[in-house]
Amino acid sequence: MDNLADFTEETADNGNLVIKFSGQFTICHIGAIDKKLRNLGDTPDILDLSEIGKIDTVGAWLLDRTAQESGAKIIGKHDSAERLMAELNRYASDTAPSARDYNPFLRILSDTGRATVTVFTSMLDFMAFVGQVVVAAIVTLFQPSRLRVNSILQHFELVGVRALPIVGLMSFLIGIVVAQQGAVQLQQFGAEVFTVNLVGRLTFRELGVLMTAIMIAGRSGSSFAAQIGTMKITEEIDAMRTIGVSPIEALVLPRFFATIIMMPLIGFFASILSILGAGILCWFVLDIPPVSFIQRIREVTPMTDLYVGFIKAPLFGAIIAMAGCFQGMQVKDNAEEVGVKTTAAVVQAIFLVIVLDAFFAIFFSEIGW
């Protein structure tokens, strides 16, 4: 290739070794000069750039590295080379890690402080977002004409109907697992009949609604964050504000109402499938006929357990919808943010659901339910 980058070695009158560069120092012309520079027998004292032609960032980096490693002086004025090497040095100084970055204790302390600030900031932002959603929901309920019924019905299908197969399958299998593990432990005391008590109370009171909430958070909560985040990147939300449409009313409230309404129904559906799975296992493993199993379920499971599930389900749905929509609204200006916020939506929703479930467990136990 013509004008390949090359160099010659000369010895000055004072005994200094001079490396005189020539040719085009671009990525297409550098060729094998890098290897030749690394294999120099003697360390150069002067680098002469006077005969260099065109140069790009790669060529400037090569020359700058040679100068840094050898401590050589650069002569031969070349405006492009000087400018590019100055930019490289400035960038290297801006991004070079400081000594304190290598101190493990300081790094852990810094990361902990940064994470704490981020958590509290996100909490305040989320509480402000919840306030906006609640105010918008109250206003919409007093002005039903502003309610987007078609959008709510569409999300009934997305959140509820399409989630039934996976929720039903998972709940059925969870019922089998809970019954099997309970039976194994209770058989040691000859009390395997109490497996029905365990399954009945645990399913309607806790597992049915909680596992449904976790699955809906992973399925629908992530979907809400991804959809709204993509709209944020494509500036559709900014366009809504420009034409006077509230993104809270148009995007958040339909998802909010749909999830609140569908969660009790999906939770009840999941509980029934879980009981069905447990009943099948008890039939084949413990020889408890289906009629006896159902009768026993009716005897040992009070209606308060069903009420507890129906009370928790809408609140879980509200948390899932608001967490997903909130994280979607936090997306900035690139596709990577969509993935980050979608993951954050699922984690936040599941965390808040479990915290709220723990609160309800203590609260209902205290009031005797």
Side-chain angles (χ1 to χ4, degrees):
M1 186 179 290
D2 295 338
N3 297 322
L4 286 176
D6 202 356
F7 66 89
T8 57
E9 301 180 43
E10 299 178 0
T11 303
D13 295 338
N14 57 3
N16 288 336
L17 179 61
V18 180
I19 300 294
K20 183 174 288 188
F21 294 98
S22 61
Q24 310 291 340
F25 269 71
T26 64
I27 192 171
C28 298
H29 296 85
I30 288 178
I33 192 174
D34 178 43
K35 185 176 181 180
K36 291 173 65 177
L37 286 171
R38 290 182 182 275
N39 294 332
L40 279 175
D42 298 319
T43 302
D45 301 299
I46 298 174
L47 305 180
D48 187 353
L49 312 184
S50 57
E51 296 183 9
I52 288 179
K54 292 181 180 179
I55 187 170
D56 60 10
T57 306
V58 177
W61 172 82
L62 182 63
L63 294 172
D64 184 69
R65 188 200 68 190
T66 304
Q68 294 287 346
E69 290 179 351
S70 63
K73 178 183 178 182
I74 296 177
I75 64 172
K77 184 175 177 60
H78 192 289
D79 294 338
S80 297
E82 290 179 359
R83 186 177 66 255
L84 288 172
M85 284 192 285
E87 286 295 319
L88 287 171
N89 289 327
R90 183 178 66 83
Y91 177 77
S93 63
D94 289 343
T95 58
S98 60
R100 56 185 286 184
D101 289 335
Y102 293 99
N103 187 317
F105 175 75
L106 291 179
R107 290 191 66 178
I108 293 173
L109 194 63
S110 175
D111 292 344
T112 303
R114 192 178 298 111
T116 303
V117 172
T118 301
V119 167
F120 278 100
T121 303
S122 299
M123 186 183 302
L124 292 175
D125 292 341
F126 182 67
M127 291 174 65
F129 180 79
V130 170
Q132 292 178 354
V133 174
V134 171
V135 170
I138 294 173
V139 171
T140 303
L141 291 177
F142 280 100
Q143 300 178 14
S145 60
R146 303 177 65 170
L147 197 62
R148 298 174 181 267
V149 179
N150 290 337
S151 182
I152 294 175
L153 294 177
Q154 180 187 9
H155 285 95
F156 278 170
E157 180 183 4
L158 296 176
V159 176
V161 177
R162 295 188 182 181
L164 291 179
I166 183 63
V167 172
L169 176 61
M170 294 295 293
S171 300
F172 180 80
L173 296 176
I174 289 171
I176 292 176
V177 170
V178 171
Q180 191 271 336
Q181 291 297 317
V184 168
Q185 299 303 317
L186 292 173
Q187 276 180 334
Q188 301 177 32
F189 309 99
E192 58 269 21
V193 69
F194 290 105
T195 302
V196 182
N197 301 49
L198 172 68
V199 170
R201 301 217 60 183
L202 190 61
T203 298
F204 284 109
R205 191 179 186 89
E206 292 291 339
L207 279 186
V209 176
L210 181 60
M211 296 306 299
T212 300
I214 292 174
M215 285 185 279
I216 294 298
R219 184 184 180 279
S220 299
S222 60
S223 175
F224 294 165
Q227 290 168 355
I228 296 177
T230 303
M231 296 179 70
K232 193 80 181 293
I233 291 179
T234 56
E235 299 182 351
E236 293 179 59
I237 293 179
D238 294 334
M240 286 183 180
R241 292 193 177 101
T242 301
I243 62 177
V245 176
S246 170
I248 297 294
E249 291 186 8
L251 301 176
V252 178
L253 287 186
R255 292 169 169 81
F256 178 72
F257 286 132
T259 312
I260 286 178
I261 295 172
M262 292 305 298
M263 268 298 298
L265 303 178
I266 304 174
F268 182 74
F269 170 78
S271 299
I272 295 300
L273 265 293
S274 183
I275 292 294
L276 178 62
I280 292 175
L281 182 126
C282 290
W283 186 11
F284 286 100
V285 175
L286 303 180
D287 294 326
I288 300 177
V291 175
S292 300
F293 179 84
I294 294 173
Q295 183 64 32
R296 181 74 176 174
I297 285 284
R298 293 178 61 185
E299 292 175 357
V300 302
T301 307
M303 287 300 294
T304 53
D305 287 353
L306 190 62
Y307 298 153
V308 168
F310 277 120
I311 290 172
K312 293 192 293 187
L315 295 176
F316 289 170
I319 288 175
I320 293 168
M322 286 192 287
C325 295
F326 168 72
Q327 294 296 341
M329 289 289 189
Q330 300 302 303
V331 172
K332 301 300 181 184
D333 55 359
N334 57 69
E336 183 181 359
E337 280 280 306
V338 177
V340 171
K341 297 303 181 183
T342 299
T343 303
V346 177
V347 173
Q348 185 180 43
I350 293 176
F351 172 77
L352 293 176
V353 162
I354 293 176
V355 169
L356 187 61
D357 187 64
F359 167 78
F360 275 128
I362 298 173
F363 173 76
F364 287 121
S365 176
E366 290 295 324
I367 67 174
W369 275 25

